[in-house]
Amino acid sequence: MRSDLTFIDLFAGAGGISLGFRRAGFTPIAAYENWEPAVQSYRLNHGDHMHQVSIDAELDAPSARVIVGGPPCQGFSSAGMRRPGDARNTLVGEFGRLIARLKPDAFVFENVEGFLTSADGLFVFELLEPLIEAGYRIHLRKINAANYGVPQHRKRVVGIGGLGWDPTFPEPTHSTFGAPGAHRANRGGLLPTQTLGEALSALPPPSAKVAGGKTADHTYQPLSGDDLKRAQLLLPGQWMRDLPEELWHESYRRRAFRRVMDGTPTEKRGGAPAGIRRLSFDEPSKAITGGALRDFIHPSEPRMLTMRECAVLQTFPIDFKFCGSESEKIQLIGNAVPPVLAEALAKSLRQDLLARKSRKSGGALLSFRPTCASAMSPALERVTQQIEDRFGNLSGQQALVFA
């Protein structure tokens, strides 16, 4: 067994996972990415071990103790268009097959919650089947990043696997509130997750774009017209639904009307995303995505969040540099794995690897926790049943399925 704590970052983006793993004592030996702004951002912050490759390249990767990555998620993100035929979705299967070929001691996988139900669970099976067949013993769970110290409610799916040994899935490190199901992971003795106000307190005041600013990417475009009216009317925690209908965005109006025609109850009309929303100082932020600059109004000022505020809520350091246009930078930020979450996962995995746990025979799905809430949607129930039927008795061990 290799004694060094080395890792490879696949689909590395700007390097959120890499930063967390480096903080936990791991050494990056290679990172792979195709998108130019991500490649340049990674190299600027992490070094020259980044390789720019096409998404269908056959990687000749070096040997490493761990492989980490979050294959592109836009094909099945609930914040975007859900297209089962999106070519990017197949990269989940490529991630699994590459790990099965390279056989690192462990892997860590991260993706959006829509990964579980898109295409009736197809991508879950594309991930798990080659890995379990190769001998990996895996936990696959939905978590809220706020329970690991990230100051935002960010529900994500995390997979952790060990080649022939049982890894630990890290328990929550923080208690949180302000989102459905958030309290379910709370227990005595945990630190409270930072609120949005606490997270942003270290930043200086932003500057209007016309004036520039001393802190990189910490500027805003002053609002005017209906946009300013919306910002002035919304109270912390309110969103598009709480505005007079004449101030609704047309896209939101169409969505709301469609749900009325479908018979959706009044209190549930509008759907997700919520249009625009004024955030609150006294609770964690909503999930930062590539649309955050147009979706989120500052808690106390009539303006949208700045790019740097979004990056800080994603737990990037204030001096972390992002390359590209404004739209490319916010996409890098919104797509990233928060470094604080990555560090929590890495610390747990580091303890496991240093303990040199005894090896066991056969791959298995050790646990599958598909929701943070108390109930599942019909689509998630179907996928959960399929997974239990397929993987529940591997190696004679019943899969652990949590509602």
Side-chain angles (χ1 to χ4, degrees):
M1 176 183 289
R2 291 177 292 272
S3 60
D4 53 331
L5 293 173
T6 56
F7 74 97
I8 293 171
D9 192 347
L10 301 177
F11 312 105
I17 296 184
S18 282
L19 181 54
F21 267 71
R22 288 174 58 195
R23 287 173 173 172
F26 285 81
T27 301
I29 59 172
Y32 297 90
E33 176 58 62
N34 182 47
W35 192 32
E36 183 67 24
V39 171
Q40 295 304 321
S41 298
Y42 190 101
R43 287 174 175 164
L44 192 60
N45 293 282
H46 296 286
D48 59 4
H49 56 274
M50 160 63 71
H51 302 273
Q52 187 169 11
V53 295
S54 62
I55 60 175
D56 57 352
E58 184 72 15
L59 295 184
D60 184 19
S63 177
R65 193 81 179 274
V66 180
I67 292 179
V68 302
C73 61
Q74 290 89 341
F76 37 73
S77 170
S78 62
M81 296 176 64
R82 298 171 65 90
R83 296 188 292 262
D86 192 320
R88 291 169 295 190
N89 291 343
T90 64
L91 295 178
V92 173
E94 289 301 315
F95 179 86
R97 288 186 285 274
L98 182 62
I99 291 171
R101 176 168 66 84
L102 296 177
K103 291 184 170 53
D105 288 341
F107 74 86
V108 175
F109 166 89
E110 188 267 3
N111 225 300
V112 295
E113 57 180 331
F115 159 79
L116 293 175
T117 54
S118 184
D120 293 325
L122 169 66
F123 304 110
V124 180
F125 287 91
E126 283 203 341
L127 175 72
L128 292 179
E129 285 180 339
L131 291 172
I132 290 176
E133 183 177 349
Y136 284 92
R137 301 174 68 81
I138 302 167
H139 298 284
L140 187 65
R141 303 186 184 184
K142 183 189 292 186
I143 58 97
N144 184 345
N147 289 121
Y148 295 86
V150 179
Q152 64 173 288
H153 290 294
R154 187 178 187 86
K155 294 181 180 179
R156 289 298 186 265
V157 177
V158 172
I160 300 175
L163 183 57
W165 58 275
D166 294 357
T168 302
F169 196 96
E171 292 296 325
T173 56
H174 290 69
S175 62
T176 190
F177 65 96
H183 66 283
R184 289 169 58 82
N186 294 348
R187 51 179 58 88
L190 297 182
L191 294 171
T193 299
Q194 273 193 327
T195 64
L196 179 148
E198 291 168 337
L200 298 185
S201 63
L203 280 171
S207 304
K209 287 187 176 179
V210 292
K214 294 182 179 180
T215 303
D217 301 316
H218 193 38
T219 60
Y220 65 92
Q221 182 66 47
L223 300 177
S224 61
D226 285 347
D227 290 332
L228 180 58
K229 290 179 183 177
R230 295 181 184 107
Q232 291 171 334
L233 286 173
L234 287 175
L235 299 175
Q238 291 186 328
W239 44 292
M240 185 77 76
R241 183 186 62 183
D242 299 301
L243 289 169
E245 287 194 27
E246 61 266 23
L247 288 177
W248 286 3
H249 289 151
E250 188 55 38
S251 59
Y252 180 87
R253 189 187 310 279
R254 288 196 302 269
R255 184 170 63 246
F257 178 74
R258 182 175 67 247
R259 291 171 68 84
V260 171
M261 296 299 290
D262 289 343
T264 304
T266 301
E267 67 274 11
K268 295 184 179 180
R269 291 175 190 164
I276 58 171
R277 181 192 296 272
R278 185 181 284 280
L279 299 175
S280 300
F281 275 132
D282 58 359
E283 62 183 42
S285 173
K286 302 304 178 185
I288 298 298
T289 70
L293 297 182
R294 66 175 182 269
D295 291 343
F296 293 150
I297 302 172
H298 187 271
S300 64
E301 300 175 21
R303 63 171 178 84
M304 312 309 287
L305 291 185
T306 70
M307 190 110 56
R308 185 56 57 181
E309 286 170 335
C310 292
V312 167
L313 292 173
Q314 276 281 66
T315 68
F316 281 101
I318 293 176
D319 60 353
F320 197 93
K321 299 176 178 63
F322 299 95
C323 299
S325 66
E326 181 176 277
S327 63
E328 290 168 337
K329 288 180 179 180
I330 192 58
Q331 202 66 45
L332 283 170
I333 293 167
N335 286 354
V337 176
V340 163
L341 171 61
E343 184 177 4
L345 301 175
K347 285 180 176 178
S348 175
L349 186 58
R350 183 177 188 273
Q351 291 179 345
D352 285 348
L353 290 169
L354 293 177
R356 297 178 181 271
K357 290 179 178 281
S358 60
R359 291 183 173 267
K360 300 181 179 181
S361 61
L365 182 59
L366 301 175
S367 71
F368 178 61
R369 185 174 296 173
T371 182
C372 304
S374 58
M376 287 189 277
S377 68
L380 189 55
E381 285 182 346
R382 290 194 299 272
V383 172
T384 298
Q385 187 59 58
Q386 292 171 15
I387 290 173
E388 190 170 10
D389 291 344
R390 172 68 180 86
F391 300 116
N393 292 310
L394 284 176
S395 298
Q397 176 171 329
Q398 181 67 30
L400 304 177
V401 181
F402 297 86

